[in-house]
Amino acid sequence: MQMLNEINNIIIAPHFNLSEFACPCCKRVMLHPLLLEKLEKLRKIIERPIHITSGYRCFEYNQKVGGVANSYHLIGLAADIKVKDINLIELLEICENIDFAGIGFYEKKNFLHLDVRPTRRTRWRE
Ligand SMILES: [Zn+2]
Ligand SMILES: [Zn+2]
């Protein structure tokens, strides 16, 4: 069914489509508006495409990729991002200014985990 390829193909912000946040295995998706708002803010500052390498994850997919059991990816509050041609530290500093509640800095794999968890600000590095 050709039509099913269009699932989640919905523009939800000037620079984001809902399909970018969907779980790769089942296409299910949850996304908190605050996460989207902050990502759009980041996109406008950096003026470069943000590649969402992991948005929403279903339970099975989260296990498959080795995510922690209480991952914020499971409830639509987190996204992992990669941006070409920008230093990861520079990107981190901009994300700090946007005040994402959770920020994970993955130096070797060259990506940032960003989330809007409702609890206290958390930072980590791998
Ligand atoms: Zn899935
Ligand atoms: Zn993550």
Side-chain angles (χ1 to χ4, degrees):
M1 278 257 283
Q2 178 65 32
M3 212 191 133
L4 291 180
N5 294 334
E6 290 298 301
I7 202 79
N8 296 330
N9 183 13
I10 302 163
I11 293 162
I12 51 172
H15 297 95
F16 292 99
N17 188 294
L18 184 60
S19 60
E20 296 174 75
F21 295 88
C23 180
C25 83
C26 57
K27 310 302 174 200
R28 280 178 277 178
V29 64
M30 289 174 81
L31 174 61
H32 197 285
L34 183 61
L35 179 64
L36 179 63
E37 188 188 303
K38 286 179 182 286
L39 287 170
E40 184 61 38
K41 198 178 274 184
L42 175 64
R43 174 63 180 80
K44 281 177 183 142
I45 293 168
I46 62 178
E47 298 179 309
R48 284 185 182 84
I50 294 173
H51 180 50
I52 310 287
T53 57
S54 188
Y56 172 72
R57 297 175 191 162
C58 70
F59 178 78
E60 293 80 7
Y61 186 73
N62 188 55
Q63 279 199 319
K64 192 183 156 193
V65 298
V68 294
N70 59 349
S71 171
Y72 287 102
H73 288 278
L74 291 164
I75 53 172
L77 298 188
D80 296 340
I81 66 156
K82 275 189 180 184
V83 179
K84 273 188 185 172
D85 302 322
I86 189 164
N87 182 283
L88 199 61
I89 303 230
E90 195 182 323
L91 189 63
L92 174 68
E93 279 167 9
I94 298 163
C95 290
E96 288 287 0
N97 290 335
I98 294 168
D99 201 29
F100 285 93
I103 303 180
F105 182 80
Y106 292 81
E107 195 165 21
K108 277 184 196 152
K109 293 179 186 164
N110 193 44
F111 77 89
L112 294 184
H113 165 104
L114 302 170
D115 68 58
V116 292
R117 67 186 66 199
T119 56
R120 71 181 193 286
R121 289 167 90 256
T122 308
R123 302 291 183 259
W124 68 95
R125 178 181 260 250
E126 258 189 48

